[in-house]
Amino acid sequence: MLILECPYCGIHADETELENGGEAHLTRATVGASDEEFESYLFARANPKGVHFERWRHAYGCGKWFLAARDTVTLEVFATYCAQTSEPPAEVLKAIRAKHPDWEGSA
Amino acid sequence: MKRYSAFAIAREGLRYHKGWERAWGSPEPKKRYDAIIVGAGGHGLATAFYLGKNFGITNVAVLEKGWLGGGNTGRNTTIIRSNYLQDPSAAIYEKSRSLYETMSQDVNMNVMFSPRGVIMLAQTHHEVRGYQRTAHANALQGVETTFIGPQKVKELVPIINLEGPRYPVLGGLWQARGGTARHDAVAWGYARACSDMGMDIIQNCAVTGIETEGGAVKAVNTSKGRIETGKLALVVAGHSSDLAEMAGFRLPIESVALQALVSEPIKPCMDVVVMANTVHGYLSQSDKGEMVIGGGTDHYNNYTQRGSFHHIEETVRALVETFPMMSRLKMLRQWGGIVDMTGDRSPLISKTPVGGIFVNCGWGTGGFKAIPGSGWAMAELVAKGEPGPLAADFGIERFREGRFIDESVAAGVAH
Ligand SMILES: Cc1cc2nc3c(=O)[nH]c(=O)nc-3n(C[C@H](O)[C@H](O)[C@H](O)COP(=O)(O)OP(=O)(O)OC[C@H]3O[C@@H](n4cnc5c(N)ncnc54)[C@H](O)[C@@H]3O)c2cc1C
Ligand SMILES: [Zn+2]
């Protein structure tokens, strides 16, 4: 059972209380974007083996969206953090590098 | 290759079974092949088989990081049907279903194809309307299905409870020619036939890098060294994004865990396949007597081949409601596989941004049934460099062009 701490209400919620929203930190394609940019925003995914930044909603709790850094191979959770950021904060990257010193960062 | 037959069994029976030969070779990789297929699951092996059979291309290697059939091909609940909604899906799945009918003869291995019939239960009014629509679409596509009422469902499945408290059975979509087959035998049969055509099936050989030159594939690096090729087919299901990254492009794929479980063996009690999509439960009885049960997918990216326990609970709860006798059964084993989900729940059989590299993936929760048809279509793509009629609509460009083959609305879930 996957357990994530909601950064807003501090509850350690298990996955039946949460909703997954897919890859985080995507730049939204908008008016004037090309077909390729829309395709990439809507469908192309990193889907990495290893460190994954993703969106979650505390659906049956406070209802808010937050972000998590998680390992898709070991299911280890490095950190959860507020969604009001366009890239992972320094302390999240530090938590990842503490476990994976040679991690090259997300593409 | 010595042929398998009733006569061969009798002959070997008389000489202590000493005359059986190895079913397939275990060669070291050559320096170069005309075509390399990554992934010895059903789809990769079927691609190799039809490259040889339909196009005479036999200087082929199939590279497998584990053992052949050890991916989703050996982990699935083996439901075979072709009652899809959209025309391109119906075409390839029906081709595939019909190839299953002659597969045992084609590869000279008994794959135990059992066309026992498949019912998809309608347990909400939405499903009743949806399946009636599918039955009409299937009539136009030349796929034989009928919408049946609850009494007919009860005749076909005496152990069913029509009056479940949450989801009473309101009818079902019946495909009499659907059924099951033995998954391992499908992989083994193709492997043996490919090996017999002179192809190299190389197990314990993980692809770790892809070399390109001038926008085209040149070689792969593997745990058994560097191997050159001009044509590379990536057929690795849940691992497709990983291989695509090695070649420098992204796919519209996410990898998630899907689980299945089996009960202790019991006497024959159900001779058709039953799918209950609203409650995420799929059920058939194996020849050994076990009830084979498929569940739902987890909703987050995962490469562990383990799923979350609450999905098992959900599936079992739903099945007990619809099949009350299940409450007395002990479950023996549970396992998971990593399935490759696309945005429209339809597969990719496609060229890629890199010359000479082709992908076949995105079969997600329902690609066992598609193995022969997919191999047939993929072999044509790899041999000619352009898709034939079965594969044409399944290119990656459909996501840019908005030409989805939307099976997610049609089935809600798919197996
Ligand atoms: C629990 C479960 C139930 C299912 N039930 C059904 C069902 O009832 N009916 C149905 O039609 N479908 C079902 N499916 C789906 C079906 O199993 C798959 O769609 C199908 O088996 C995919 O076959 P494949 O050959 O593409 O992939 P796989 O069989 O997964 O083969 C891919 C192979 O690639 C290898 N590989 C990966 N990376 C590398 C690398 N770097 N180098 C070398 N080799 C590599 C893997 O080891 C693997 O053997 C189910 C799936 C699961 C998990
Ligand atoms: Zn919360």
Side-chain angles (χ1 to χ4, degrees), chain A residues 1-2 15-16 20 22-23 26 35-36 39 43-50 52 54 56 70 72-75 107, chain B residues 65 238-239 241-242 250-255 298-304 306 308 310-311 343 396-397 399-400 404:
Chain A
M1 180 76 67
L2 184 64
E15 61 183 274
T16 54
N20 180 278
E23 189 174 334
L26 296 173
D35 287 356
E36 285 72 18
E39 179 195 16
F43 298 107
R45 293 292 176 262
N47 191 23
K49 269 188 193 175
H52 191 225
E54 54 195 16
W56 286 89
R70 200 172 56 82
T72 58
V73 174
T74 60
L75 299 190
Chain B
K65 77 173 158 126
H239 304 270
S241 304
D242 197 30
R250 278 192 181 190
L251 290 171
I253 296 268
E254 307 230 40
S255 299
D298 286 349
H299 296 281
Y300 53 86
N301 298 48
N302 184 349
Y303 284 98
T304 63
R306 278 200 307 270
S308 293
H310 70 93
H311 282 294
I396 298 183
E397 64 286 354
F399 290 96
R400 186 168 63 242
F404 307 116

Side-chain angles (χ1 to χ4, degrees), chain B residues 15-348:
Chain B
R15 54 177 193 188
Y16 305 100
H17 295 282
K18 284 186 177 153
W20 298 115
E21 45 184 36
R22 287 189 67 137
W24 51 82
S26 174
E28 285 304 306
K30 293 190 243 172
K31 274 200 145 54
R32 187 186 162 84
Y33 292 91
D34 293 340
I36 289 181
I37 294 161
V38 188
H43 289 259
L45 292 164
T47 302
F49 177 74
Y50 286 114
L51 269 178
K53 194 168 179 221
N54 292 355
F55 299 96
I57 301 176
T58 54
N59 183 19
V60 173
V62 185
L63 309 181
E64 166 56 51
K65 77 173 158 126
W67 65 97
L68 67 89
N72 294 342
T73 297
R75 294 165 182 271
N76 79 96
T77 50
T78 75
I79 299 174
I80 295 168
R81 61 183 180 89
S82 60
N83 52 355
Y84 282 71
L85 181 65
Q86 311 292 351
D87 292 347
S89 324
I92 194 163
Y93 287 107
E94 176 65 6
K95 169 80 183 169
S96 196
R97 192 203 54 73
S98 68
L99 286 172
Y100 263 110
E101 291 182 338
T102 56
M103 191 188 287
S104 294
Q105 290 78 31
D106 292 344
V107 300
N108 181 233
M109 163 94 74
N110 183 4
V111 301
M112 296 164 76
F113 177 55
S114 161
R116 57 183 71 179
V118 176
I119 303 179
M120 297 168 80
L121 297 180
Q123 291 178 287
T124 63
H125 288 287
H126 174 79
E127 271 185 312
V128 171
R129 283 195 295 271
Y131 288 148
Q132 284 174 339
R133 181 183 174 205
T134 304
H136 293 313
N138 289 162
L140 295 172
Q141 292 152 346
V143 176
E144 211 180 305
T145 61
T146 39
F147 187 83
I148 55 176
Q151 284 320 313
K152 176 79 182 161
V153 173
K154 183 79 186 170
E155 273 169 39
L156 288 163
V157 194
I159 61 170
I160 206 165
N161 170 25
L162 295 177
E163 316 285 336
R166 288 187 305 166
Y167 295 111
V169 174
L170 306 173
L173 184 64
W174 170 237
Q175 183 172 25
R177 288 167 183 255
T180 59
R182 175 146 188 233
H183 47 21
D184 297 323
V186 170
W188 297 339
Y190 279 130
R192 178 165 165 271
C194 289
S195 187
D196 187 51
M197 285 189 272
M199 298 181 182
D200 287 353
I201 295 161
I202 305 168
Q203 303 183 68
N204 294 313
C205 178
V207 172
T208 53
I210 296 174
E211 273 179 44
T212 59
E213 195 179 75
V217 64
K218 186 146 190 277
V220 290
N221 291 306
T222 76
S223 51
K224 296 195 172 187
R226 180 174 179 275
I227 315 173
E228 288 186 4
T229 188
K231 287 174 188 271
L232 180 64
L234 308 178
V235 197
V236 292
H239 304 270
S240 298
S241 304
D242 197 30
L243 273 293
E245 203 206 334
M246 294 179 199
F249 56 90
R250 278 192 181 190
L251 290 171
I253 296 268
E254 307 230 40
S255 299
V256 298
L258 174 66
Q259 298 177 80
L261 62 160
V262 293
S263 75
E264 60 189 324
I266 53 173
K267 288 195 172 162
C269 67
M270 195 180 79
D271 60 3
V272 297
V273 180
V274 182
M275 307 176 62
N277 291 337
T278 292
V279 295
H280 290 272
Y282 321 91
L283 192 62
S284 66
Q285 189 168 21
S286 75
D287 292 344
K288 286 183 281 182
E290 302 155 328
M291 302 307 282
V292 181
I293 302 167
T297 50
D298 286 349
H299 296 281
Y300 53 86
N301 298 48
N302 184 349
Y303 284 98
T304 63
Q305 293 198 140
R306 278 200 307 270
S308 293
F309 187 69
H310 70 93
H311 282 294
I312 294 284
E313 273 184 309
E314 273 168 29
T315 298
V316 170
R317 193 188 319 145
L319 288 178
V320 166
E321 190 179 311
T322 312
F323 303 91
M325 54 78 82
M326 297 272 302
S327 68
R328 304 289 186 87
L329 284 183
K330 291 191 180 70
M331 294 300 149
L332 280 191
R333 289 191 307 282
Q334 165 276 346
W335 64 92
I338 299 305
V339 295
D340 37 343
M341 309 297 281
T342 59
D344 61 358
R345 299 293 182 266
S346 286
L348 300 171

